[in-house]
């Protein structure tokens, strides 16, 4: 691995560690009765305290430091005075910007006791992401990632959102390549050592169609069924891959 790639991995590792650390703190907070605004404030403070900046804040006009997507919100939910209730599921998406590099990750949280269906949706979404990460190595096609996710999700009776995708990341928050979470094996660009990108499948309990609300950000399921998402920032190494946003608290 050349020195340029080595440096990019080191910086992404630092930013990724701060982002995952913020979610570890969020995990301590999740219970019925707290607001998504409180989660946002915690993420802002944690990232700031670690000498980094919350990349979503003011990104293309986004007003908050993280995305909080509850129940049928697919992604880009805006933190507010909304109170979490028993049985809700929630995705929190954070990105730390440190020393000119980004680390982007999201995680699902269950509020109190959630339904069996919701639990299965969350579990399947996490498995789909990890299954895709485990196949990563040089010369694997981008389509292999999408195919791996789609097969696992549809085998469990859920659907893959097609309106949003993973993305290249580094000194820029979002860049090429687009990483689709559905697709055919053997299609798309081949992975190369040094590539850094996110895998972040959004999985719906019902149909895959989404719509964006009038705020221009909040994406919801058209049929108002539950949605779940997990996200890691990963890099391609000569031996396979590295996950930059692993939690220090959970495997």
């Amino acid at each position: 691995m050349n020195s340029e790639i080595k440096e990019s991995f080191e910086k992404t590792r630092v930013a990724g560690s701060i982002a995952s650390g913020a979610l570890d703190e969020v995990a301590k907070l999740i219970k019925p009765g707290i607001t998504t605004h409180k989660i946002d404030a915690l993420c802002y403070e944690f990232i700031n305290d670690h000498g980094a900046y919350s990349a979503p804040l003011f990104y293309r006009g986004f007003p908050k430091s993280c995305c909080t997507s509850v129940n049928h919100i697919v992604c880009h939910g805006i933190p507010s005075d909304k109170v979490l209730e028993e049985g809700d599921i929630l995705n929190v998406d954070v990105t730390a910007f440190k020393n000119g590099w980004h680390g982007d990750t999201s995680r699902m949280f269950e509020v109190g006791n959630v339904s069996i269906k919701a639990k299965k949706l969350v579990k399947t979404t996490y498995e789909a992401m990890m299954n895709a990460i485990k196949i990563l190595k040089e010369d694997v096609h981008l389509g292999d990632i999408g195919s791996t996710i789609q097969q696992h999700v549809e085998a469990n009776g859920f659907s893959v959102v097609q309106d949003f995708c993973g993305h290249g990341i580094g000194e820029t928050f979002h860049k090429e390549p687009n990483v689709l979470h559905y697709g055919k094996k053997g299609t798309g660009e081949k992975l190369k050592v040094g590539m850094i990108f996110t895998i972040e499948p959004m999985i719906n309990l019902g149909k895959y169609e989404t719509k964006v609300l009038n705020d221009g950000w909040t994406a919801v399921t058209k049929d108002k069924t539950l949605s779940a998402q997990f996200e890691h920032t990963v890099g391609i190494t000569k031996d396979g891959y590295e996950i930059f946003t692993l939690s220090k608290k959970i495997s």
Side-chain angles (χ1 to χ4, degrees):
M1 201 180 283
N2 69 35
S3 59
E4 197 179 314
I5 292 173
K6 210 170 176 184
E7 186 187 3
S8 70
F9 273 45
E10 280 168 9
K11 288 184 171 176
T12 305
R13 204 174 288 131
V14 171
S17 174
I18 294 168
S20 64
L23 292 182
D24 288 341
E25 291 303 306
V26 168
K28 299 173 188 174
L29 200 67
I30 298 294
K31 63 180 180 186
I34 72 151
T35 64
T36 53
H37 171 74
K38 189 169 182 181
I39 294 168
D40 179 70
L42 183 149
C43 290
Y44 174 81
E45 285 165 19
F46 182 90
I47 290 170
N48 202 44
D49 287 349
H50 286 77
Y53 180 78
S54 292
L57 187 60
F58 307 132
Y59 178 75
R60 295 181 181 167
F62 190 79
K64 297 289 185 173
S65 293
C66 68
C67 300
T68 51
S69 302
V70 183
N71 294 334
H72 71 292
I73 299 177
V74 175
C75 61
H76 304 154
I78 301 171
S80 68
D81 293 332
K82 179 181 172 56
V83 173
L84 295 179
E85 296 177 5
E86 182 85 19
D88 284 345
I89 60 170
L90 162 76
N91 177 273
V92 180
D93 190 340
V94 297
T95 306
F97 182 64
K98 170 98 172 172
N99 297 328
W101 288 77
H102 293 82
D104 189 2
T105 184
S106 84
R107 202 180 298 171
M108 291 300 296
F109 299 95
E110 299 174 2
V111 184
N113 292 311
V114 307
S115 70
I116 291 167
K117 267 187 179 177
K119 271 190 183 298
K120 187 184 176 190
L121 175 68
V122 170
K123 180 173 180 278
T124 300
T125 305
Y126 180 76
E127 289 169 348
M129 174 185 69
M130 293 309 297
N131 287 353
I133 289 172
K134 284 170 187 167
I135 68 161
L136 297 178
K137 61 181 180 181
E138 191 168 28
D139 290 335
V140 162
H141 290 266
L142 281 174
D144 298 358
I145 295 171
S147 172
T148 299
I149 290 168
Q150 187 174 14
Q151 282 180 12
H152 185 69
V153 167
E154 291 179 355
N156 280 278
F158 303 126
S159 63
V160 179
V161 170
Q162 299 188 6
D163 295 333
F164 303 94
C165 60
H167 52 90
I169 191 169
E171 290 172 291
T172 307
F173 193 172
H174 296 93
K175 62 178 189 175
E176 294 294 317
N178 289 332
V179 182
L180 303 182
H181 302 118
Y182 62 96
K184 287 184 179 172
K185 270 192 154 183
T187 64
E189 188 181 336
K190 283 185 176 181
L191 302 181
K192 296 284 169 249
V193 170
M195 286 175 77
I196 299 173
F197 54 90
T198 70
I199 296 180
E200 47 181 301
M202 286 151 257
I203 308 304
N204 294 348
L205 189 64
K207 295 178 178 173
Y208 67 81
E209 289 89 355
T210 70
K211 65 176 182 181
V212 176
L213 300 185
N214 291 337
D215 61 23
W217 284 103
T218 309
V220 299
T221 55
K222 265 194 179 170
D223 59 10
K224 295 191 167 63
T225 56
L226 295 175
S227 188
Q229 180 190 18
F230 282 90
E231 175 182 17
H232 273 316
T233 297
V234 297
I236 303 303
T237 67
K238 61 179 182 2
D239 302 317
Y241 64 89
E242 177 176 350
I243 304 174
F244 298 112
T245 46
L246 280 176
S247 166
K248 292 180 181 67
K249 305 280 164 67
I250 55 174
S251 58

